[in-house]
Amino acid sequence: MTPQAPARAHRPRTQPPDTDGRSYRVGAGTLDPTQLWRALPQALRKLNPATLVRNPVMFVTEVGAALTTGLAVASPSVFGWLITVWLWLTVVFANLAEAVAESRGRAQADSLRRTRRQTTARRLTGRHPDSPGLPHDEQEVSAAELRRGDFVVVEAGELVPGDGDVVQGVASVDESAITGESAPVIRESGGDRCAVTGGTRVLSDRIVVRITQEPGASFLDRMISLVEGAKRQKTPNELALNLLLVALTFVFLMATVTLQPMAIFSTQVMGSVPDTGAINSDGVTGIVLVSLLVCLIPTTIGALLSAIGIAGMDRMVQRNVLAMSGRAVEAAGDVHTLLLDKTGTITFGNRRAALFLPVAHVRDRELASAALLSSLADETPEGRSVVTLAREQYGLDTVPHADAQWVPFSATTRMSGVDLGGPGARSLRKGAATAVADWVREQGGIVPAGLDALVKRVSMSGGTPLAVAETVDGTARVLGIIHLKDMVKPGLSERFRQLRAMGIRTVMITGDNPATAAAIAAEAGVDDFLAEATPEDKLALIKQEQAGGKLVAMTGDGTNDAPALAQADVGVAMNTGTSAAKEAGNMVDLDSDPTKIIEIVEIGKQLLITRGALTAFSITNDIAKYFAILPAMFAGVYPALGALNIMDLHSPLSAILSAVIFNAVVIVALIPLALRGVRYRPSSASALLTRNLWVYGLGGIIAPFLAIKFIDVALVQFIPGI
């Protein structure tokens, strides 16, 4: 029977790359309006001053709302109560933005909690389980009693009781509770795919696991805490922006406090002042000043800043990437150098057959047919790729041979093949060029001079040559060469071009020789490469880049990658990797897709762009509020200021109330944008800045003028006496 290659499960990407350069976008989906209602109770709980004091801008707004409440009670008026209600709504809407962002994380955390249950562990005692053949005992204990260094045995159908590394055996493990992928994965001892996560289920066989976690500090526990925002700390950029907002708030607070004394002084200097209505009454003056302060300080970005940061981590989680801190997400947006392993990231995991090169007097189809037959017993990925190439290029198929004797590939002989008996007995061999040449000579054949030229041609191009030979009725001859090459993943060259446009330098890391590395780097389109790299070389390269003031990102999965992952500013460890790699990195890719680091960088960029865009909008939309409130307040004292009432608002009171209402409503309007993120397309920093200034800066000036005028007209219709 013809040997068949085993079926291999395909794990789909979380989000397929779109490489057309036009429609690619990093986003987080639309906002479900029902999320606003579900998050409202949490937003109301955040009105606690002890909680709100962490956000100085909104804390000042809440103090102002409390002050106007007292003034409205002391001197009741429709204007006073309307201002008070909208100031409280401003604070609630700001809390609502953060509450909605946190609710997404809590929903994901609840899903993870359902996978964490009280598990009984089978702890091994006595002899060390790494010593085969020696007896050891099992003891049933609660999973909560396990300590770092304990050994447990897990069999098919059982849950892994804690995070650890497989030290004995191999098993198929269902990690869908963690990754969301239904396809099982293989975990085995002695390699870089030995790590298992507590709460996952073993589907087959038996493994012995060494526990690597401390009690209550499992990967699942950390994941739950992080996605629900319990341990989210503000990033350096966020702290710097907060400091700026506090400074602006203090400046405007001082300016507002001095306005009333200035107004009294002005009236004394100018003498009689035209009557401006209720705005000059003692009961309303304090409310007007509070309204002015709230409209002057940057409440919009102050309300949305925390939600933007939480949403950035949420977008990572949606792509099955666990960021250990907000700092890691933010650092991803500032990355200058991106280190990528060649195998599995830039190229497919194994070399694939790309071309048949026959020697003189041999036809291409004849070589392809012999290569297919001699590869049917080769279960390696390279052997299966030869069969695939022959079938795709020449439409060849296998015909069962009852008298065939298959020769599987062996690392000793470095060949595979088949012996066909009967009339015209024929033997076929495929393998390393030197091994096949020796086999031909042993069969009494002559190796053609052209073979060396073909071998050198393939080797110089960075490929691996495999020779194919046959014997027919005792006559041996070489048929040609199969060109195996590292196949660059489709679409990567376009992604690297986009990264280059963003100012990010890409460096390929490989253990190949410089000639092979150069050929692959040129085909992939990376900016540079490091050939024959050792773990020390990776670490030295990262330190060299950082010494030049650059932030570096890289991926890894093995223990030998741990030093470089720890040194990198953004270290993305594969979930299939060792515990040492996952502990060293500041992100873990649950899908174990090395190419996802490109998406991680783009999500980080989007976080920074969203924060910058909404900051620009917040600052510029204050301009419209200035034109609404300041002329209304001072036109009576300085009639020339009436010329600044370019919106032709109905009255001073309606102008102030319209600005306060807009100040509250705009926060709700921007919550979906803060959570989803500003549309991001790879381009240079200057181009992104220009775009944000035109779209969000200019938009922040125009939109409030229109909205405040519309609100003013509506107020006049519903409250004629205002």
Side-chain angles (χ1 to χ4, degrees):
M1 249 182 105
T2 302
Q4 298 295 322
R8 289 170 289 176
H10 173 66
R11 290 171 60 85
R13 291 175 53 87
T14 306
Q15 179 183 359
D18 182 353
T19 57
D20 61 7
R22 296 182 301 274
S23 59
Y24 182 75
R25 175 184 176 167
V26 175
T30 57
L31 174 68
D32 182 357
T34 60
Q35 289 180 313
L36 296 174
W37 292 108
R38 291 197 297 266
L40 185 58
Q42 178 64 18
L44 295 176
R45 285 192 289 269
K46 288 178 178 289
L47 290 174
N48 183 352
T51 301
L52 204 61
V53 73
R54 294 176 301 173
N55 188 337
V57 175
M58 301 318 301
F59 179 74
V60 170
T61 305
E62 183 178 46
V63 171
L67 181 59
T68 60
T69 302
L71 293 173
V73 170
S75 301
S77 67
V78 174
F79 173 78
W81 281 113
L82 286 174
I83 289 291
T84 298
V85 168
W86 280 102
L87 288 182
W88 280 114
L89 287 176
T90 302
V91 183
V92 172
F93 291 162
N95 292 341
L96 189 63
E98 185 174 16
V100 170
E102 290 176 349
S103 70
R104 290 186 170 189
R106 283 194 298 273
Q108 293 164 342
D110 290 341
S111 176
L112 292 171
R113 283 193 180 93
R114 287 194 289 269
T115 70
R116 185 177 59 181
R117 58 187 72 175
Q118 189 64 29
T119 306
T120 300
R122 297 161 58 187
R123 182 166 60 189
L124 298 178
T125 60
R127 296 284 186 175
H128 194 290
D130 286 340
S131 302
L134 295 179
H136 55 276
D137 302 322
E138 292 184 11
Q139 176 187 19
E140 286 197 0
V141 298
S142 168
E145 299 178 28
L146 295 176
R147 298 294 183 269
R148 181 190 290 267
D150 285 348
F151 293 87
V152 296
V153 60
V154 190
E155 295 185 344
E158 297 177 347
L159 292 175
V160 177
D163 298 350
D165 293 330
V166 179
V167 296
Q168 273 190 358
V170 58
S172 176
V173 180
D174 177 11
E175 294 186 342
S176 59
I178 305 297
T179 66
E181 300 286 356
S182 58
V185 295
I186 301 299
R187 294 290 179 262
E188 57 187 340
S189 62
D192 289 340
R193 295 181 177 269
C194 63
V196 290
T197 304
T200 58
R201 184 178 297 278
V202 173
L203 299 180
S204 67
D205 302 294
R206 175 184 186 273
I207 54 176
V208 175
V209 178
R210 180 176 57 240
I211 299 298
T212 59
Q213 73 177 57
E214 295 294 348
S218 69
F219 182 76
L220 195 58
D221 289 322
R222 285 184 294 156
M223 191 171 177
I224 290 172
S225 296
L226 288 166
V227 299
E228 66 183 0
K231 294 184 179 180
R232 194 189 82 87
Q233 297 181 348
K234 293 181 179 179
T235 63
N237 284 348
E238 201 171 347
L239 288 172
L241 185 55
N242 255 321
L243 184 60
L244 174 63
L245 299 183
V246 170
L248 290 174
T249 301
F250 179 78
V251 169
F252 288 126
L253 178 61
M254 292 297 100
T256 304
V257 168
T258 59
L259 281 178
Q260 182 65 6
M262 288 178 60
I264 295 173
F265 174 77
S266 298
T267 58
Q268 292 175 347
V269 172
M270 297 183 65
S272 61
V273 179
D275 183 20
T276 56
I279 195 169
N280 286 333
S281 65
D282 293 335
V284 177
T285 301
I287 294 176
V288 170
L289 290 176
V290 172
S291 302
L292 174 64
L293 174 62
V294 171
C295 290
L296 286 176
I297 62 178
T299 51
T300 304
I301 188 61
L304 299 174
L305 186 58
S306 179
I308 294 170
I310 295 173
M313 295 185 70
D314 178 59
R315 281 191 286 276
M316 288 289 185
V317 174
Q318 289 183 11
R319 285 157 183 78
N320 274 359
V321 177
L322 178 60
M324 299 304 179
S325 67
R327 180 190 295 265
V329 181
E330 190 173 271
D334 281 330
V335 160
H336 300 88
T337 304
L338 190 57
L339 306 184
L340 305 114
D341 279 330
K342 182 207 72 175
T343 304
T345 304
I346 293 176
T347 65
F348 290 99
N350 301 281
R351 295 192 170 193
R352 299 185 178 186
L355 192 63
F356 295 116
L357 301 172
V359 298
H361 309 299
V362 175
R363 292 173 300 155
D364 292 354
R365 188 179 184 85
E366 182 182 2
L367 171 60
S369 177
L372 183 148
L373 287 172
S374 60
S375 299
L376 289 173
D378 184 357
E379 290 297 327
T380 65
E382 291 82 0
R384 292 196 292 268
S385 74
V386 173
V387 175
T388 300
L389 180 65
R391 287 173 173 169
E392 290 179 352
Q393 283 197 354
Y394 298 97
L396 299 174
D397 206 348
T398 56
V399 178
H401 294 270
D403 53 356
Q405 294 183 358
W406 302 100
V407 181
F409 175 82
S410 167
T412 303
T413 63
R414 296 188 296 163
M415 293 187 299
S416 66
V418 61
D419 295 325
L420 304 175
R426 186 185 184 199
S427 294
L428 297 167
R429 294 293 185 272
K430 177 227 59 185
T434 54
V436 171
D438 291 341
W439 181 79
V440 169
R441 294 188 185 98
E442 290 172 1
Q443 303 301 317
I446 298 176
V447 177
L451 182 65
D452 285 342
L454 290 176
V455 169
K456 289 181 180 179
R457 172 182 165 186
V458 172
S459 299
M460 290 299 293
S461 67
T464 300
L466 296 180
V468 180
E470 70 171 358
T471 62
V472 179
D473 292 331
T475 302
R477 64 170 182 158
V478 175
L479 299 177
I481 291 292
I482 304 170
H483 183 174
L484 290 183
K485 64 176 295 187
D486 284 305
M487 303 294 288
V488 174
K489 293 182 177 180
L492 279 185
S493 59
E494 173 63 19
R495 299 292 292 276
F496 291 146
R497 185 193 65 77
Q498 294 173 349
L499 290 172
R500 194 173 300 112
M502 294 156 49
I504 296 176
R505 176 171 171 261
T506 53
V507 181
M508 182 185 75
I509 307 295
T510 177
D512 289 337
N513 61 70
T516 301
I520 297 171
E523 182 178 354
V526 295
D527 298 312
D528 202 354
F529 65 88
L530 178 64
E532 299 176 343
T534 64
E536 293 77 13
D537 293 333
K538 295 179 185 179
L539 190 60
L541 177 59
I542 293 174
K543 290 182 177 179
Q544 177 184 338
E545 293 289 320
Q546 290 173 333
K550 299 177 180 177
L551 298 186
V552 181
M554 74 160 290
T555 61
D557 59 1
T559 301
N560 62 344
D561 292 323
L565 287 172
Q567 181 67 35
D569 300 284
V570 180
V572 184
M574 302 295 103
N575 191 44
T576 55
T578 61
S579 297
K582 290 195 285 188
E583 291 176 2
N586 50 23
M587 291 189 185
V588 177
D589 177 16
L590 303 179
D591 289 330
S592 298
D593 177 6
T595 61
K596 197 181 290 182
I597 191 171
I598 299 174
E599 289 182 41
I600 289 172
V601 170
E602 290 169 333
I603 292 172
K605 290 282 187 186
Q606 187 192 34
L607 169 65
L608 297 180
I609 291 169
T610 300
R611 185 184 296 157
L614 292 184
T615 300
F617 184 90
S618 176
I619 294 174
T620 55
N621 78 29
D622 286 340
I623 296 175
K625 291 179 284 187
Y626 302 160
F627 276 93
I629 291 184
L630 294 180
M633 289 184 62
F634 294 104
V637 178
Y638 298 104
L641 290 178
L644 297 179
N645 186 16
I646 58 178
M647 286 183 278
D648 191 26
L649 301 179
H650 179 263
S651 69
L653 294 184
S654 71
I656 294 170
L657 183 56
S658 298
V660 170
I661 293 175
F662 169 78
N663 195 60
V665 172
V666 72
I667 295 174
V668 178
L670 291 176
I671 288 177
L673 183 61
L675 299 182
R676 185 180 65 248
V678 172
R679 180 180 293 274
Y680 168 70
R681 298 183 187 278
S683 58
S684 65
S686 60
L688 290 173
L689 178 60
T690 301
R691 175 177 175 269
N692 282 344
L693 288 177
W694 278 106
V695 175
Y696 296 97
L698 185 61
I701 295 175
I702 297 175
F705 276 95
L706 300 177
I708 290 175
K709 178 61 179 177
F710 175 81
I711 295 172
D712 181 74
V713 172
L715 287 175
V716 173
Q717 294 297 320
F718 291 100
I719 313 176
I722 195 168

